[in-house]
Amino acid sequence: MKILLSAFACEPGQGSEEGVGWNAVVEAAKHQEVWVLTRTFYRTAIEAFLATYPNPNLHFVYIEPFGWSENFKGRQGGLQLHYYLWQILAYLEARQLHRQINFDIARHVTYVKFWSPSFISLLPIPFIWGPVGGGEAAPKPFWEDFSFKAKLYETARDWGQRLGERDPFARMTARRSVLALATTEDTAKRVRAMGAKKVQVLSEACLSKEEMARLGECQMPGLSPIRFISMGRLLHWKGYHLALRAFAQANLPNAEYWLLGDGPERDRLQSLAEELGIASQVKLWGRLPREETLVKLGESHVLIHPSLHDSGGWTCLEGMAAGRPIICLDLGGPATQVTAQTGIKVPGYNPEQAVQGLAEAITNLAGDAELRSRLGEAGRNHVREVYDWDIKGEFFAQLCEDIVNRKSG
């Protein structure tokens, strides 16, 4: 079987979108012959990897509109324009490739966003869209805690989604997909409204067996002090201000809360910890190298991830793989990844209710070592059974085979 994958972001050894793209194409190449459309920006890293680890089933085609080979970091407007133009160029390249190779099926891999079109859906072959995400939104009551700049961001994001899902080409992408995969039910609802006939909820995030083994080496530390940890960019919608308020409300004298990461909310979070009288128990470590981050995770007992509109991500998976119980809001991607057996999901109706629920979860887990152990072990098993890249690769291989067989039958 010959597969065409569109992976705008695709780079070995990375996380986020680049990691999704890379792992998806490598797993696909274990089962089929794969052609990958990606950015010229990643060519050096990809070819260096393949020089050491050649893969005869994996063929890369590098394209870049107007030679714009830059990362556009911090320039969302330029990035979104570039992404849209790249999709057009990708289709023109795909159409020519299809004449030569005669692909059996095509799939859009990255970016994992539902409000932009994938023009390779125009090819006369079955098309799988996703997983795509981004349909989640912070519930409006939580906006009261946001700064003016944060509210502008949320408003612009909301309008961008609304305009994008009304783009006739994005709707065409939804309609032409034989299967649209959505990271959360929030996104699934919006994709259905765009005309997708068959929609299934499936996370884009997974871990490799090597990552799970490394995280599995994290031993639970001693009982004193009880340490809570959060890992991620310090952004308003990550909800760390809620976790700080909940930690203060729990009022645990022999406990600490560590935040790993950097971002525009750092000063505000530091000030909030001081206002709440918990600055001596809270440590903002900043952004640390991967190995140091894992050491800090191993020195902690519970992972808190209070995000308001994550589509997915790796933080909860990493915490579970390390055997740590998870506290999260029952919103977005974390709500699909964390189960009642692996953590505590707190409803997210408004800030006061969420803080109260998070505080109760913090108190319960701080005082019950057996509960922490039980949830942590269940988390390890859950990640192994559901969020293994090998399992995801087998799923897509079987899915492609089923779709192509139905078409030929």
Side-chain angles (χ1 to χ4, degrees), residues 48-93:
F49 183 93
L50 293 178
T52 306
Y53 306 100
N55 189 331
N57 275 355
L58 200 49
H59 314 280
F60 284 91
V61 180
Y62 304 98
I63 54 178
E64 206 79 74
F66 306 118
W68 290 351
S69 190
E70 56 180 298
N71 64 6
F72 292 96
K73 188 174 182 179
R75 295 171 52 205
Q76 277 297 312
L79 175 62
Q80 298 308 322
L81 172 62
H82 178 72
Y83 180 64
Y84 205 102
L85 294 174
W86 186 92
Q87 294 293 341
I88 297 172
L89 194 61
Y91 166 67
L92 297 176
E93 186 69 36

Short mmCIF file of all heavy atoms in Angstrom, two decimals, residues 48-93:
data_model
loop_
_atom_site.label_atom_id
_atom_site.label_comp_id
_atom_site.label_asym_id
_atom_site.label_seq_id
_atom_site.Cartn_x
_atom_site.Cartn_y
_atom_site.Cartn_z
N ALA A 48 19.73 14.16 8.41
CA ALA A 48 20.78 13.73 9.34
C ALA A 48 20.33 12.47 10.08
O ALA A 48 21.13 11.54 10.29
CB ALA A 48 21.08 14.85 10.33
N PHE A 49 19.06 12.44 10.47
CA PHE A 49 18.54 11.25 11.16
C PHE A 49 18.54 10.05 10.23
O PHE A 49 18.98 8.95 10.60
CB PHE A 49 17.13 11.53 11.66
CG PHE A 49 16.54 10.39 12.46
CD1 PHE A 49 16.65 10.36 13.84
CD2 PHE A 49 15.86 9.35 11.83
CE1 PHE A 49 16.13 9.30 14.58
CE2 PHE A 49 15.34 8.29 12.56
CZ PHE A 49 15.47 8.28 13.94
N LEU A 50 18.06 10.23 9.00
CA LEU A 50 17.97 9.10 8.06
C LEU A 50 19.34 8.62 7.60
O LEU A 50 19.48 7.46 7.20
CB LEU A 50 17.12 9.50 6.86
CG LEU A 50 15.63 9.74 7.16
CD1 LEU A 50 14.90 10.18 5.90
CD2 LEU A 50 14.98 8.49 7.74
N ALA A 51 20.33 9.48 7.68
CA ALA A 51 21.69 9.03 7.33
C ALA A 51 22.19 8.01 8.35
O ALA A 51 22.94 7.09 8.01
CB ALA A 51 22.63 10.24 7.29
N THR A 52 21.75 8.16 9.60
CA THR A 52 22.13 7.22 10.66
C THR A 52 21.17 6.04 10.74
O THR A 52 21.58 4.91 10.99
CB THR A 52 22.18 7.94 12.02
OG1 THR A 52 23.03 9.08 11.92
CG2 THR A 52 22.68 7.03 13.12
N TYR A 53 19.88 6.34 10.52
CA TYR A 53 18.85 5.30 10.62
C TYR A 53 18.04 5.27 9.32
O TYR A 53 16.91 5.76 9.26
CB TYR A 53 17.92 5.57 11.80
CG TYR A 53 18.63 5.74 13.12
CD1 TYR A 53 18.88 7.00 13.64
CD2 TYR A 53 19.06 4.63 13.84
CE1 TYR A 53 19.55 7.16 14.85
CE2 TYR A 53 19.72 4.77 15.05
CZ TYR A 53 19.96 6.06 15.54
OH TYR A 53 20.62 6.21 16.75
N PRO A 54 18.59 4.72 8.26
CA PRO A 54 17.88 4.72 6.97
C PRO A 54 16.59 3.91 7.03
O PRO A 54 16.49 2.92 7.76
CB PRO A 54 18.89 4.09 6.01
CG PRO A 54 19.84 3.33 6.88
CD PRO A 54 19.91 4.05 8.18
N ASN A 55 15.61 4.36 6.27
CA ASN A 55 14.32 3.68 6.23
C ASN A 55 13.82 3.66 4.78
O ASN A 55 13.37 4.68 4.26
CB ASN A 55 13.31 4.42 7.12
CG ASN A 55 12.01 3.64 7.30
OD1 ASN A 55 11.61 2.88 6.42
ND2 ASN A 55 11.35 3.84 8.42
N PRO A 56 13.92 2.52 4.12
CA PRO A 56 13.56 2.46 2.69
C PRO A 56 12.08 2.69 2.43
O PRO A 56 11.70 2.96 1.28
CB PRO A 56 13.97 1.03 2.29
CG PRO A 56 13.99 0.26 3.58
CD PRO A 56 14.40 1.22 4.64
N ASN A 57 11.24 2.60 3.44
CA ASN A 57 9.81 2.82 3.26
C ASN A 57 9.40 4.28 3.40
O ASN A 57 8.23 4.61 3.26
CB ASN A 57 9.01 2.00 4.27
CG ASN A 57 8.76 0.59 3.80
OD1 ASN A 57 9.11 0.24 2.68
ND2 ASN A 57 8.17 -0.22 4.65
N LEU A 58 10.37 5.15 3.70
CA LEU A 58 10.06 6.53 4.04
C LEU A 58 10.68 7.46 3.01
O LEU A 58 11.90 7.52 2.84
CB LEU A 58 10.59 6.83 5.44
CG LEU A 58 10.05 8.00 6.22
CD1 LEU A 58 8.53 8.03 6.25
CD2 LEU A 58 10.59 7.97 7.65
N HIS A 59 9.82 8.22 2.31
CA HIS A 59 10.28 9.16 1.28
C HIS A 59 9.77 10.56 1.62
O HIS A 59 8.57 10.75 1.81
CB HIS A 59 9.74 8.76 -0.10
CG HIS A 59 9.89 7.29 -0.40
ND1 HIS A 59 11.07 6.73 -0.83
CD2 HIS A 59 8.99 6.27 -0.30
CE1 HIS A 59 10.90 5.43 -1.00
NE2 HIS A 59 9.65 5.12 -0.69
N PHE A 60 10.67 11.51 1.70
CA PHE A 60 10.28 12.89 2.04
C PHE A 60 10.33 13.78 0.81
O PHE A 60 11.25 13.69 -0.02
CB PHE A 60 11.21 13.46 3.11
CG PHE A 60 10.91 12.93 4.49
CD1 PHE A 60 11.55 11.79 4.96
CD2 PHE A 60 9.99 13.56 5.31
CE1 PHE A 60 11.27 11.29 6.22
CE2 PHE A 60 9.70 13.06 6.57
CZ PHE A 60 10.35 11.93 7.03
N VAL A 61 9.33 14.63 0.71
CA VAL A 61 9.26 15.65 -0.33
C VAL A 61 9.18 16.99 0.37
O VAL A 61 8.25 17.25 1.14
CB VAL A 61 8.04 15.44 -1.25
CG1 VAL A 61 8.00 16.52 -2.32
CG2 VAL A 61 8.06 14.04 -1.86
N TYR A 62 10.17 17.84 0.13
CA TYR A 62 10.28 19.10 0.86
C TYR A 62 9.78 20.26 0.00
O TYR A 62 10.20 20.43 -1.16
CB TYR A 62 11.74 19.36 1.26
CG TYR A 62 12.33 18.25 2.08
CD1 TYR A 62 13.13 17.26 1.48
CD2 TYR A 62 12.11 18.16 3.45
CE1 TYR A 62 13.68 16.23 2.23
CE2 TYR A 62 12.65 17.13 4.20
CZ TYR A 62 13.44 16.17 3.59
OH TYR A 62 13.98 15.16 4.34
N ILE A 63 8.88 21.05 0.59
CA ILE A 63 8.34 22.20 -0.14
C ILE A 63 8.29 23.40 0.81
O ILE A 63 8.17 23.25 2.02
CB ILE A 63 6.93 21.92 -0.71
CG1 ILE A 63 5.99 21.42 0.38
CG2 ILE A 63 7.00 20.93 -1.86
CD1 ILE A 63 4.58 21.17 -0.10
N GLU A 64 8.36 24.58 0.24
CA GLU A 64 8.33 25.81 1.02
C GLU A 64 7.90 26.96 0.11
O GLU A 64 8.59 27.27 -0.86
CB GLU A 64 9.72 26.10 1.59
CG GLU A 64 9.74 26.93 2.86
CD GLU A 64 9.41 26.10 4.09
OE1 GLU A 64 10.26 25.31 4.55
OE2 GLU A 64 8.28 26.25 4.61
N PRO A 65 6.76 27.59 0.36
CA PRO A 65 6.33 28.68 -0.50
C PRO A 65 7.29 29.87 -0.41
O PRO A 65 7.67 30.29 0.68
CB PRO A 65 4.94 29.04 0.04
CG PRO A 65 4.89 28.49 1.41
CD PRO A 65 5.79 27.30 1.42
N PHE A 66 7.70 30.35 -1.55
CA PHE A 66 8.55 31.54 -1.66
C PHE A 66 9.88 31.38 -0.92
O PHE A 66 10.53 32.37 -0.58
CB PHE A 66 7.83 32.80 -1.16
CG PHE A 66 6.50 33.04 -1.80
CD1 PHE A 66 5.34 33.05 -1.06
CD2 PHE A 66 6.40 33.24 -3.18
CE1 PHE A 66 4.10 33.26 -1.65
CE2 PHE A 66 5.18 33.46 -3.79
CZ PHE A 66 4.03 33.46 -3.02
N GLY A 67 10.27 30.14 -0.64
CA GLY A 67 11.53 29.92 0.06
C GLY A 67 11.55 30.45 1.48
O GLY A 67 12.62 30.71 2.04
N TRP A 68 10.37 30.56 2.12
CA TRP A 68 10.29 31.12 3.48
C TRP A 68 10.72 30.08 4.51
O TRP A 68 9.92 29.59 5.29
CB TRP A 68 8.86 31.56 3.79
CG TRP A 68 8.41 32.76 3.03
CD1 TRP A 68 9.17 33.58 2.26
CD2 TRP A 68 7.08 33.28 2.97
NE1 TRP A 68 8.40 34.57 1.71
CE2 TRP A 68 7.11 34.40 2.13
CE3 TRP A 68 5.86 32.89 3.52
CZ2 TRP A 68 5.98 35.15 1.84
CZ3 TRP A 68 4.73 33.63 3.25
CH2 TRP A 68 4.79 34.75 2.41
N SER A 69 11.97 29.73 4.52
CA SER A 69 12.44 28.68 5.41
C SER A 69 12.86 29.27 6.76
O SER A 69 14.03 29.43 7.06
CB SER A 69 13.61 27.93 4.78
OG SER A 69 13.92 26.80 5.53
N GLU A 70 11.87 29.62 7.57
CA GLU A 70 12.11 30.13 8.92
C GLU A 70 11.05 29.55 9.85
O GLU A 70 10.04 29.01 9.40
CB GLU A 70 12.07 31.66 8.94
CG GLU A 70 10.77 32.25 8.40
CD GLU A 70 10.79 33.78 8.45
OE1 GLU A 70 10.89 34.32 9.56
OE2 GLU A 70 10.70 34.40 7.37
N ASN A 71 11.26 29.69 11.16
CA ASN A 71 10.32 29.04 12.08
C ASN A 71 9.15 29.93 12.48
O ASN A 71 8.20 29.47 13.10
CB ASN A 71 11.05 28.55 13.33
CG ASN A 71 11.66 29.68 14.15
OD1 ASN A 71 11.45 30.86 13.86
ND2 ASN A 71 12.43 29.31 15.16
N PHE A 72 9.20 31.23 12.15
CA PHE A 72 8.11 32.16 12.45
C PHE A 72 7.80 32.23 13.95
O PHE A 72 6.68 32.54 14.34
CB PHE A 72 6.83 31.80 11.68
CG PHE A 72 6.94 31.99 10.21
CD1 PHE A 72 7.27 30.93 9.39
CD2 PHE A 72 6.73 33.22 9.63
CE1 PHE A 72 7.37 31.09 8.01
CE2 PHE A 72 6.84 33.40 8.26
CZ PHE A 72 7.15 32.34 7.45
N LYS A 73 8.78 31.90 14.79
CA LYS A 73 8.54 31.91 16.23
C LYS A 73 8.10 33.29 16.70
O LYS A 73 8.74 34.29 16.42
CB LYS A 73 9.81 31.49 16.98
CG LYS A 73 9.60 31.28 18.46
CD LYS A 73 10.86 30.73 19.11
CE LYS A 73 10.62 30.47 20.59
NZ LYS A 73 11.83 29.92 21.25
N GLY A 74 6.97 33.32 17.39
CA GLY A 74 6.44 34.58 17.89
C GLY A 74 5.73 35.42 16.85
O GLY A 74 5.34 36.55 17.13
N ARG A 75 5.54 34.89 15.65
CA ARG A 75 4.88 35.64 14.58
C ARG A 75 3.71 34.81 14.05
O ARG A 75 3.77 34.21 12.99
CB ARG A 75 5.87 35.94 13.45
CG ARG A 75 7.01 36.86 13.84
CD ARG A 75 8.07 36.93 12.75
NE ARG A 75 7.46 37.25 11.47
CZ ARG A 75 8.01 36.91 10.30
NH1 ARG A 75 9.13 36.24 10.25
NH2 ARG A 75 7.41 37.24 9.17
N GLN A 76 2.62 34.80 14.83
CA GLN A 76 1.49 33.96 14.48
C GLN A 76 0.86 34.33 13.15
O GLN A 76 0.47 33.46 12.37
CB GLN A 76 0.44 34.02 15.59
CG GLN A 76 0.71 33.08 16.76
CD GLN A 76 0.68 31.61 16.34
OE1 GLN A 76 -0.23 31.16 15.65
NE2 GLN A 76 1.68 30.87 16.74
N GLY A 77 0.77 35.62 12.87
CA GLY A 77 0.18 36.05 11.60
C GLY A 77 0.96 35.51 10.42
O GLY A 77 0.39 34.94 9.48
N GLY A 78 2.27 35.67 10.46
CA GLY A 78 3.11 35.17 9.37
C GLY A 78 3.06 33.67 9.26
O GLY A 78 3.03 33.12 8.16
N LEU A 79 3.00 33.00 10.40
CA LEU A 79 2.95 31.53 10.41
C LEU A 79 1.66 31.03 9.78
O LEU A 79 1.67 30.10 8.96
CB LEU A 79 3.08 31.01 11.84
CG LEU A 79 2.92 29.50 12.01
CD1 LEU A 79 4.00 28.75 11.24
CD2 LEU A 79 2.96 29.13 13.50
N GLN A 80 0.53 31.63 10.13
CA GLN A 80 -0.76 31.15 9.61
C GLN A 80 -0.87 31.38 8.11
O GLN A 80 -1.38 30.54 7.37
CB GLN A 80 -1.92 31.83 10.35
CG GLN A 80 -1.96 31.54 11.84
CD GLN A 80 -1.91 30.05 12.17
OE1 GLN A 80 -2.50 29.24 11.48
NE2 GLN A 80 -1.21 29.70 13.23
N LEU A 81 -0.37 32.53 7.63
CA LEU A 81 -0.36 32.78 6.19
C LEU A 81 0.54 31.76 5.49
O LEU A 81 0.17 31.18 4.46
CB LEU A 81 0.14 34.20 5.91
CG LEU A 81 0.37 34.55 4.43
CD1 LEU A 81 -0.92 34.44 3.63
CD2 LEU A 81 1.00 35.93 4.29
N HIS A 82 1.71 31.53 6.06
CA HIS A 82 2.65 30.58 5.50
C HIS A 82 2.03 29.18 5.43
O HIS A 82 2.16 28.47 4.43
CB HIS A 82 3.91 30.56 6.37
CG HIS A 82 4.95 29.58 5.92
ND1 HIS A 82 5.71 29.77 4.78
CD2 HIS A 82 5.36 28.40 6.44
CE1 HIS A 82 6.54 28.76 4.63
NE2 HIS A 82 6.35 27.91 5.62
N TYR A 83 1.35 28.79 6.51
CA TYR A 83 0.73 27.46 6.58
C TYR A 83 -0.33 27.30 5.48
O TYR A 83 -0.41 26.24 4.84
CB TYR A 83 0.11 27.28 7.96
CG TYR A 83 -0.58 25.96 8.18
CD1 TYR A 83 0.13 24.77 8.15
CD2 TYR A 83 -1.96 25.90 8.43
CE1 TYR A 83 -0.49 23.55 8.38
CE2 TYR A 83 -2.59 24.68 8.66
CZ TYR A 83 -1.85 23.51 8.62
OH TYR A 83 -2.49 22.32 8.84
N TYR A 84 -1.14 28.33 5.26
CA TYR A 84 -2.19 28.26 4.25
C TYR A 84 -1.58 28.14 2.85
O TYR A 84 -2.00 27.30 2.04
CB TYR A 84 -3.09 29.49 4.34
CG TYR A 84 -4.48 29.28 3.81
CD1 TYR A 84 -5.54 29.08 4.68
CD2 TYR A 84 -4.74 29.29 2.44
CE1 TYR A 84 -6.83 28.89 4.21
CE2 TYR A 84 -6.03 29.10 1.96
CZ TYR A 84 -7.07 28.89 2.85
OH TYR A 84 -8.34 28.70 2.38
N LEU A 85 -0.57 28.96 2.58
CA LEU A 85 0.09 28.89 1.27
C LEU A 85 0.78 27.55 1.08
O LEU A 85 0.78 27.00 -0.02
CB LEU A 85 1.09 30.04 1.14
CG LEU A 85 0.51 31.46 1.11
CD1 LEU A 85 1.62 32.49 1.13
CD2 LEU A 85 -0.36 31.64 -0.14
N TRP A 86 1.35 27.03 2.15
CA TRP A 86 2.02 25.73 2.07
C TRP A 86 1.02 24.65 1.69
O TRP A 86 1.35 23.74 0.91
CB TRP A 86 2.68 25.41 3.42
CG TRP A 86 3.51 24.16 3.40
CD1 TRP A 86 4.85 24.06 3.14
CD2 TRP A 86 3.06 22.81 3.65
NE1 TRP A 86 5.26 22.74 3.20
CE2 TRP A 86 4.17 21.95 3.52
CE3 TRP A 86 1.82 22.25 3.97
CZ2 TRP A 86 4.08 20.58 3.70
CZ3 TRP A 86 1.73 20.88 4.14
CH2 TRP A 86 2.84 20.05 4.01
N GLN A 87 -0.19 24.70 2.23
CA GLN A 87 -1.20 23.70 1.90
C GLN A 87 -1.54 23.70 0.41
O GLN A 87 -1.75 22.64 -0.20
CB GLN A 87 -2.48 23.94 2.72
CG GLN A 87 -2.31 23.76 4.22
CD GLN A 87 -2.04 22.32 4.60
OE1 GLN A 87 -2.29 21.40 3.84
NE2 GLN A 87 -1.49 22.14 5.79
N ILE A 88 -1.59 24.89 -0.17
CA ILE A 88 -1.86 24.98 -1.62
C ILE A 88 -0.72 24.35 -2.41
O ILE A 88 -0.93 23.55 -3.34
CB ILE A 88 -2.06 26.45 -2.03
CG1 ILE A 88 -3.29 27.03 -1.32
CG2 ILE A 88 -2.20 26.57 -3.55
CD1 ILE A 88 -3.46 28.53 -1.51
N LEU A 89 0.50 24.71 -2.04
CA LEU A 89 1.67 24.17 -2.73
C LEU A 89 1.77 22.66 -2.53
O LEU A 89 2.15 21.92 -3.44
CB LEU A 89 2.93 24.86 -2.19
CG LEU A 89 4.22 24.68 -3.00
CD1 LEU A 89 4.05 25.24 -4.41
CD2 LEU A 89 5.38 25.38 -2.29
N ALA A 90 1.39 22.19 -1.34
CA ALA A 90 1.42 20.76 -1.06
C ALA A 90 0.47 20.01 -1.99
O ALA A 90 0.79 18.91 -2.47
CB ALA A 90 1.04 20.51 0.40
N TYR A 91 -0.69 20.58 -2.26
CA TYR A 91 -1.64 19.92 -3.16
C TYR A 91 -1.07 19.84 -4.58
O TYR A 91 -1.18 18.79 -5.24
CB TYR A 91 -2.97 20.67 -3.18
CG TYR A 91 -3.84 20.23 -4.34
CD1 TYR A 91 -4.36 18.94 -4.39
CD2 TYR A 91 -4.09 21.09 -5.41
CE1 TYR A 91 -5.11 18.52 -5.47
CE2 TYR A 91 -4.85 20.67 -6.49
CZ TYR A 91 -5.37 19.39 -6.52
OH TYR A 91 -6.11 18.97 -7.59
N LEU A 92 -0.46 20.92 -5.06
CA LEU A 92 0.09 20.90 -6.41
C LEU A 92 1.18 19.84 -6.53
O LEU A 92 1.26 19.12 -7.53
CB LEU A 92 0.65 22.30 -6.75
CG LEU A 92 -0.38 23.43 -6.79
CD1 LEU A 92 0.32 24.77 -7.04
CD2 LEU A 92 -1.43 23.17 -7.86
N GLU A 93 2.00 19.73 -5.49
CA GLU A 93 3.04 18.70 -5.49
C GLU A 93 2.42 17.31 -5.39
O GLU A 93 2.85 16.36 -6.05
CB GLU A 93 4.00 18.94 -4.31
CG GLU A 93 5.19 18.02 -4.27
CD GLU A 93 6.18 18.27 -5.39
OE1 GLU A 93 6.36 19.44 -5.78
OE2 GLU A 93 6.77 17.28 -5.88
#
